[in-house]
Amino acid sequence: MTGRSVIVTGGSRGLGAGLVASFLASGDRVSSCSRSRTDNVDRWESDPDTKDRFLHRDVDLSDRDAVQTFVRDVVATYGRVDVLINNAGVAQEGVLATMGDAETDQVIDLNLRGTLAMTKAVVRRMFAQGDGGRIINISSVVGLSGYRGLAVYSATKAALDGMTRALARELGSRMITVNSIAPGYLATEMSHGLTAEELGQIVRRTPAGRLGQPEDVAAAAQFLASPEAGFVSGHVLVIDGGLSA
Ligand code: NAP
């Protein structure tokens, strides 16, 4: 079997689905997980071009045991893991002063604890393989700039960027690169929580004059996963149409 073995967490919809589509198009074997299935998943599982190199499992990433089982399953199916894209994430809007503990915990459990658990499981596998690897963390521009009503989410995204920098140092000698991609506002389900007025304001403040698309981010992920990016590590690559320039 040819192609890299790529894990995309939260590959069922939105940006994750765009990442899965991109790596399937480049001939890779792609494994994805999410709590529920979507038409995308059904299509990739049945399409003759992709069915033998696409794996999906229903996994709640805030469950550490389930994360380990998923990685074991990927290795049993494709033999190895070359690229991990930590994409799954959740946002709960609300000012911190009135935000419920359950909402706070949900965001931290997935965005931070789940991502750390997945990364740990994959890094251990990459150590055993001994020939390097790529880790790409999807953070967010709000981890850099902050956004009213997204304190917990912003904290988790800033934490991911911190993890990226620390792991780049920790894993560099093993030829494992670690980078973050910090997207601006994307036209996915996650931004459906924003009002038309907020979205209009974001588009007006964005020099490119539009929201981002999954393809904008997938192109950057392809670069970071490519052999040409082997000397690029510890970066936070902002993909936001110039919004934060
Ligand atoms: P989305 O459309 O809400 O998709 C999120 C994906 O994560 C889905 O596949 C979802 O599937 C999965 N997921 C959610 N909770 C999960 C859990 N507990 N366990 C496993 N999978 C889970 O979000 P998106 O807009 O594509 O965002 C993708 C990433 O980009 C996130 O990390 C987000 O923070 C980041 N980002 C988004 C934007 C934006 O404007 N949209 C901007 C900057 C950064 P299930 O719900 O079925 O589990």
Side-chain angles (χ1 to χ4, degrees), residues 8-26:
V8 178
T9 66
S12 61
R13 62 168 193 264
L15 173 54
L19 290 164
V20 169
S22 172
F23 282 89
L24 284 175
S26 51

Side-chain angles (χ1 to χ4, degrees), residues 3 11 28 41 44 51 111 139 149 161-162 165 171 183 194 203 208 214 218 226 232 239 241-242:
D28 297 303
V41 171
W44 291 319
K51 67 182 171 58
N111 297 10
S139 58
D161 292 344
R165 287 186 281 268
L171 304 177
L194 296 168
V203 169
S226 71
V232 180
I239 308 280

Side-chain angles (χ1 to χ4, degrees), residues 10 12 15 35-36 59-61 87 110 139 153 157 184 186 188:
S12 61
L15 173 54
R35 290 165 306 172
S36 50
V59 175
D60 185 338
L61 287 165
N87 163 77
L110 172 62
S139 58
Y153 176 78
K157 293 302 184 175
L186 304 173
T188 64

Side-chain angles (χ1 to χ4, degrees), residues 146-159:
Y147 196 85
R148 186 186 179 281
L150 287 176
V152 179
Y153 176 78
S154 302
T156 62
K157 293 302 184 175

Side-chain angles (χ1 to χ4, degrees), residues 167-189:
L167 279 183
R169 293 176 184 275
E170 208 167 294
L171 304 177
S173 64
R174 306 259 192 168
M175 293 178 300
I176 300 171
T177 68
V178 190
N179 291 284
S180 286
I181 296 178
Y185 300 87
L186 304 173
T188 64
E189 240 171 76

Side-chain angles (χ1 to χ4, degrees), residues 91-109 149 151-153:
Q92 289 282 359
E93 276 209 73
V95 290
L96 184 65
T98 57
M99 195 163 176
D101 289 343
E103 284 76 26
T104 304
D105 289 347
Q106 189 203 3
V107 176
I108 293 173
D109 284 350
V152 179
Y153 176 78

